[in-house]
Amino acid sequence: MSELEEKPKDRETPDAQENAAPGLAERAKQAAEILVGKTTPEERKRAFVILFMCLLAVGMGQTLVFAVLPPITRKLGMGEFETTMIYSLSALLWVMTSAFWGRRSDVMGRKPVILIGLLGFAVSTTLFAFAVLFGLWGMVPLAFLFPLLMGTRAIFGTFGSGTMPAAQAYVADRTTRAERASGVAGIGAAFGIGTVVGPGVAAAFSEIHILAPFFAVAVLAFLSALMIWFLLPERTAPKSSVAEKRAGVKLNLMSPNVLPWVVVGVLLSLCQSTTMQLAAFYFMDVLHLEAEAATQAISIGLLVMALSTIMAQIGLIQRFNLSVQFLLRWGAVTMILASAMLVIANSLGVLVIGMGLAGLAFGLLRPGLQAGGSLSVSPKEQGAIAGIIGSTAATGHVIHPFVGIPLYHWHHFAPFIMCGVLMVIILGFAVFHPLMKDLDQRADDFEDEEEGIGYH
């Protein structure tokens, strides 16, 4: 943050830029305006920690159902298709609304949209838990329970999708190009870790009660919303023109600096959703386990997957300032290896190794995608690109029931062969696409040419 701390006046006060030697009184006035109306470096650090915790909770909420629902739905008489459809409606709404919330954050401000997303997530998770509880008690017939579960998750897909793009744009507003990759990757790491940790936490907490993880995460979401309301600083509106305030910045999906990231995002999402949603079923079928024993086995695999993701996103990316190219290339190679391990798996040990490699791969790929998209657009387009990248994160959950499930019914390891093929395509993009080759430098090699960053 040193660059931000050294040059706030040059960035925020046009008068100082026009006059090379302003008077002492004018300098004092400018400094006072910065202290009163803008966030300090210390406040930014605190804000980023708060956002990390909030996105960790949202990520957990998106995927914790993957470990808990398969055993429950099999007891209730639902198959793989019905189970994945519960995820898919929420994911479809996430795809449809994420870009909208990203643009709205350019107009309303980042903080209000983050709050909307957190509250929508908390309410959805609470209602979903009660719906499952009533179903287990036999108070709700299966014919009504299925649409009820889809409806409660739909709240999450509609409103919860706002938190991630608004938070990513909040960080992009307050970082230079040199800091952007690590800053955006850090925020993306929180959501990514949450999505991987969620099923593992659910499997562990289910030992207390099958619905304990839902209520715990819902409480965490409400507490996160309170922290955002009281502790997250946002004292100035986002920089935008009058026209942008009416509609928000819109990006063309077919634009040369956007389309490659959309393609990579969709392919990555399909591979990740296939791995996450089929993990519990795959463990049960490969190891020939009943529902109760499967919960224990899958919890081990998901825990290793979560630890691998944490190591990638906290240990490697933040420590070594890895380039976007490195993240994409080595993330794809690692997932190819993970897919091969899962295909040949015939024991718990091999399955766990495959899940660990998959967690490492996703831990590299997701931040690389988010940071690359952010670096490819201008400062005023940060909310829009964050929304687009956020929408691609859910596309896999929409596509998976119509691609992954038929492949799984054809042969249990076929979806993981598909994941390997998708990773080969992503690797090809990372190596050969001109836009991604231009991001081969490390983040701190970029010259910072943006004005007004870091003091909102």
Side-chain angles (χ1 to χ4, degrees):
M1 292 295 184
S2 59
E3 183 178 353
L4 295 179
E5 296 172 12
E6 292 170 358
K7 301 192 294 182
K9 299 184 183 71
D10 293 337
R11 298 177 182 277
E12 296 292 335
T13 55
D15 292 339
Q17 296 175 356
E18 295 174 3
N19 187 349
L24 183 60
E26 182 63 23
R27 286 182 179 274
K29 178 181 177 182
Q30 293 166 359
E33 289 175 352
I34 290 173
L35 290 175
V36 172
K38 312 296 181 180
T39 55
T40 65
E42 291 74 19
E43 286 177 318
R44 286 199 304 279
K45 291 178 182 178
R46 183 186 69 193
F48 291 177
V49 171
I50 294 171
L51 288 176
F52 189 95
M53 295 173 62
C54 295
L55 290 173
L56 184 67
V58 175
M60 291 171 62
Q62 189 181 48
T63 60
L64 63 86
V65 293
F66 296 163
V68 177
L69 265 193
I72 292 176
T73 53
R74 279 197 171 178
K75 283 186 176 181
L76 293 174
M78 296 184 194
E80 290 90 346
F81 183 80
E82 290 84 356
T83 304
T84 54
M85 284 303 296
I86 295 174
Y87 316 142
S88 297
L89 175 61
S90 173
L92 177 61
L93 292 170
W94 187 289
V95 171
M96 296 171 62
T97 58
S98 183
F100 166 80
W101 288 120
R103 294 194 305 269
R104 291 302 299 171
S105 75
D106 291 330
V107 179
M108 298 170 59
R110 315 304 186 194
K111 183 173 178 177
V113 175
I114 294 172
L115 275 172
I116 290 172
L118 282 171
L119 292 174
F121 158 55
V123 170
S124 170
T125 304
T126 303
L127 294 177
F128 186 88
F130 277 113
V132 173
L133 184 63
F134 294 153
L136 292 174
W137 286 348
M139 298 174 60
V140 180
L142 182 60
F144 184 67
L145 179 62
F146 178 63
L148 182 61
L149 293 176
M150 293 184 68
T152 55
R153 286 289 290 182
I155 299 173
F156 179 41
T158 302
F159 297 100
S161 60
T163 299
M164 183 61 196
Q168 181 178 323
Y170 183 95
V171 172
D173 289 342
R174 291 156 179 80
T175 51
T176 65
R177 286 186 66 87
E179 300 162 331
R180 186 75 49 75
S182 60
V184 172
I187 290 300
F191 186 80
I193 291 171
T195 59
V196 178
V197 169
V201 171
F205 269 70
S206 63
E207 292 301 303
I208 302 173
H209 189 277
I210 194 67
L211 297 177
F214 291 96
F215 289 111
V217 172
V219 170
L220 182 58
F222 281 117
L223 292 176
S224 298
L226 289 175
M227 286 194 299
I228 293 293
W229 178 261
F230 289 108
L231 300 177
L232 188 74
E234 186 175 36
R235 301 192 181 98
T236 61
K239 301 184 298 294
S240 57
S241 65
V242 174
E244 288 168 354
K245 284 184 177 294
R246 289 182 185 144
V249 176
K250 292 185 178 180
L251 287 175
N252 185 352
L253 292 179
M254 304 305 294
S255 175
N257 65 328
V258 176
L259 182 60
W261 302 112
V262 172
V263 173
V264 171
V266 171
L267 297 180
L268 173 58
S269 177
L270 178 57
C271 180
Q272 189 168 12
S273 63
T274 296
T275 304
M276 298 292 290
Q277 292 191 35
L278 290 179
F281 293 117
Y282 195 58
F283 271 59
M284 283 189 281
D285 292 328
V286 169
L287 302 177
H288 308 289
L289 300 175
E290 297 298 327
E292 291 76 10
T295 301
Q296 296 295 322
I298 190 60
S299 66
I300 297 173
L302 292 171
L303 176 61
V304 172
M305 188 177 185
L307 292 175
S308 299
T309 301
I310 293 171
M311 182 183 70
Q313 297 185 331
I314 302 299
L316 298 179
I317 297 175
Q318 298 300 312
R319 182 177 178 84
F320 297 107
N321 189 28
L322 301 177
S323 68
V324 171
Q325 268 284 357
F326 183 97
L327 298 175
L328 294 177
R329 290 182 180 184
W330 286 103
V333 169
T334 305
M335 189 59 211
I336 292 171
L337 295 176
S339 299
M341 293 296 296
L342 292 172
V343 167
I344 66 173
N346 57 6
S347 66
L348 178 61
V350 180
L351 284 170
V352 169
I353 293 173
M355 295 293 286
L357 288 173
L360 180 62
F362 298 141
L364 296 174
L365 286 165
R366 180 61 59 184
L369 171 64
Q370 292 164 330
S374 177
L375 288 168
S376 299
V377 300
S378 67
K380 68 179 181 179
E381 297 169 326
Q382 291 301 318
I385 190 64
I388 290 173
I389 296 298
S391 68
T392 65
T395 53
H397 299 300
V398 179
I399 301 171
H400 170 71
F402 307 100
V403 178
I405 294 300
L407 285 174
Y408 190 78
H409 287 161
W410 176 62
H411 203 293
H412 291 336
F413 61 64
F416 302 106
I417 294 178
M418 177 193 71
C419 287
V421 173
L422 296 179
M423 288 300 112
V424 170
I425 297 174
I426 290 179
L427 181 60
F429 266 81
V431 173
F432 298 110
H433 195 280
L435 176 65
M436 298 183 185
K437 289 174 65 176
D438 289 341
L439 295 176
D440 192 39
Q441 294 171 291
R442 292 179 180 273
D444 52 11
D445 291 334
F446 286 103
E447 180 182 0
D448 180 27
E449 299 177 348
E450 300 170 0
E451 297 182 358
I453 298 175
Y455 287 89
H456 291 277

